[in-house]
Every structure is written in structure tokens, then in C-alpha cells.
Amino acid sequence: MRRKLVAGNWKMNGSADSIRKLLQGIREGAAGVAAVDLAVFPPFVYLGLVEQQLSGAPVAWGTQNLSEHGSGAYTGEVAGSMLLDFHCTYVLVGHSERRTLYGETDDLVARKFAVARKLGIKPILCVGETLDEREQGVTEAVVGRQLKAVLTLEGIGAFIDAVIAYEPVWAIGTGRTATSQQAQDVHAFIRAQLAAIDPAVASQTRILYGGSMKAANAGELLSMSDIDGGLIGGASLDAKEFLAIAEAGG
Ligand code: PGA
């Protein structure tokens, strides 16, 4: 049985003040949603604050990105080993905003995934098609290609303990959620790709849905058999809303 994971991707939002309040709200409510795993993904600079406020709480944390390099002359980058200093459990790799705005390729994303695993940080591999790609009927080809880049580099064993987030790009921050059936279909496709290589790994890999998920639609999405949680952007900036989403999955 896969435990659901509800993860908040805060993106480039917040201030020390607002994040303190948000963390306080999450901390206070987290015990009430014990059936679901929780995690938050702050901007790098607030990691210390997050670690401090969440230590001892049933909420994990991680970052939205990491460098593919170990250390050295890479101005502006953050190494995976630095995330360990802040006891990060997870790291997002290949978020569509990284892919589209910062030119991250499938190969680069796969290398970042590998770096995270090597350090013992659980990667959350984000995949998903654009509106154009969906309309052209190539959703499975795109998601399959994104997945294959990691499978080719790391093998199926890489998905033991890793997480996949299916986030249709057209649903991110648009208020336009995939229907639960649209999401379920892609989740089932992803699981089938893994199962074709190793059914045992496929049955334990958590596949999250992301894209305008909120308390009002979470119950339906999270009731689908292959949807194992959510990666929440906008709605994760409000502690009540974030916890209500988690409750819907419990
Ligand atoms: P959204 O973002 O919930 O604001 O659509 C999801 C994400 O990008 O992870």
C-alpha cells in the first residue's frame, strides 16, 4: 500500500515573515493529517528557517532544484551536499518551469536525479506535457521520453524510494486542472512503463499529480487508483488550504 504524499512547492514566493507564519500553521495542523506524508519545498535561502521550525514535526522538506555538479566554480548554483547540511529528505528535479524557463534537458534532469540519489536525497522527478503536445496527441510520447532519460542513465532500481510527479504544463498555475480521469490515465501509463521492467518497483513508486490542485478538487484526484498524492504550488502557500488537501487524501 502506497502512503500518499502531499508536497508544497513554494516556488519563488514568501519572505522570512510570511514563511514563519506558514510553517507555524503547517506545524500546528500536521498532526491532524497523520495518514498522509507531508513535505514543503521552500526557496533555498529559507532552508535554515524551515529546518529550525519543522524539526520534530511530521513534515519533511527539500528544495526545488540542485546542481548536477559536486562543488566548484558554478556561480549561483547549490550543490546536493549542501542540502544534506539542512537535512533535506527530497529534492524536485525537472520541474516544468526549470525545463521551459531555464532550458533543462531530459539528460540534465536525469543527471540531477542521479546526483540526488547518490547523496541519499529522494528525487521527485517532474514530468508532463505542454498544451500543444496534448493537443497533438503526444502526451504519452513526451512523458515516456522524460521517464526514459532517467531509466537509461540509472536503471529501474533508481525508482525504489524515488517519487514521480505528473504535472501537465497546461494545468500549472492556470486554474485549469486535469480531470481526475485525464490524470489517472497518464499515471497508469507511467506505472505501466515501470511495470514493464519491474512490477515490484512499479507497485511501490509514488506518482503525484500536480497542476492547480486545491482542497476543492483534491478529494476526487486523490481517490484515483494511481494518484498517490499531490505536488501543490499556489495552494500550498496557505497552511489551511494545504492541510485541507492532505486531509482529502487521508
Ligand atoms: P500549481 O503548481 O499548483 O500552482 O498549479 C504546481 C506545481 O508547479 O508544482
Side-chain angles (χ1 to χ4, degrees):
M1 187 63 192
R2 298 180 296 268
R3 242 179 100 80
K4 289 202 166 49
L5 168 64
V6 170
N9 174 12
W10 295 351
K11 309 194 181 187
M12 198 174 74
N13 291 297
S15 63
D17 215 35
S18 71
I19 286 175
R20 247 182 232 112
K21 287 187 190 120
L22 178 55
L23 287 167
Q24 195 186 344
I26 293 173
R27 210 192 143 102
E28 281 168 7
V33 286
V36 173
D37 289 341
L38 295 174
V40 295
F41 293 82
F44 287 116
V45 293
Y46 298 120
L47 265 184
L49 186 60
V50 168
E51 183 184 24
Q52 199 182 26
Q53 279 199 240
L54 289 183
S55 73
V59 184
W61 58 89
T63 58
Q64 302 163 18
N65 186 24
L66 83 170
S67 171
E68 75 273 30
H69 301 293
S71 67
Y74 301 103
T75 301
E77 292 289 288
V78 175
S81 60
M82 297 170 185
L83 308 189
L84 288 179
D85 281 340
F86 293 92
H87 304 99
C88 290
T89 303
Y90 298 103
V91 62
L92 304 182
V93 296
H95 188 278
S96 70
E97 284 148 22
R98 300 295 320 167
R99 292 178 189 264
T100 58
L101 302 174
Y102 299 97
E104 292 200 6
T105 61
D106 293 340
D107 287 347
L108 175 61
V109 171
R111 290 200 300 278
K112 290 187 174 193
F113 185 102
V115 166
R117 276 196 72 240
K118 214 164 161 197
L119 290 164
I121 303 171
K122 294 176 183 155
I124 300 184
L125 172 68
C126 304
V127 297
E129 81 289 2
T130 62
L131 184 57
D132 228 32
E133 289 164 340
R134 173 157 287 261
E135 283 171 351
Q136 284 170 37
V138 294
T139 297
E140 292 190 354
V142 169
V143 171
R145 190 200 72 218
Q146 292 169 334
L147 205 54
K148 194 162 172 230
V150 175
L151 285 167
T152 303
L153 185 70
E154 287 281 272
I156 186 74
F159 286 94
I160 297 174
D161 243 17
V163 178
I164 297 170
Y166 168 59
E167 300 201 297
V169 179
W170 48 271
I172 295 177
T174 57
R176 187 176 162 187
T177 321
T179 65
S180 48
Q181 194 56 51
Q182 278 174 324
Q184 165 59 27
D185 289 348
V186 182
H187 283 232
F189 166 78
I190 292 170
R191 202 176 305 285
Q193 297 301 294
L194 302 179
I197 310 170
D198 189 330
V201 172
S203 70
Q204 74 172 63
T205 303
R206 291 192 283 191
I207 307 175
L208 316 184
Y209 168 79
S212 299
M213 199 194 250
K214 45 186 182 285
N217 58 30
E220 203 188 323
L221 285 159
L222 295 173
S223 71
M224 304 307 280
S225 59
D226 287 297
I227 302 184
D228 308 314
L231 182 55
I232 324 297
S236 72
L237 296 168
D238 179 313
K240 278 211 175 82
E241 181 78 9
F242 181 60
L243 291 164
I245 293 170
E247 222 165 280

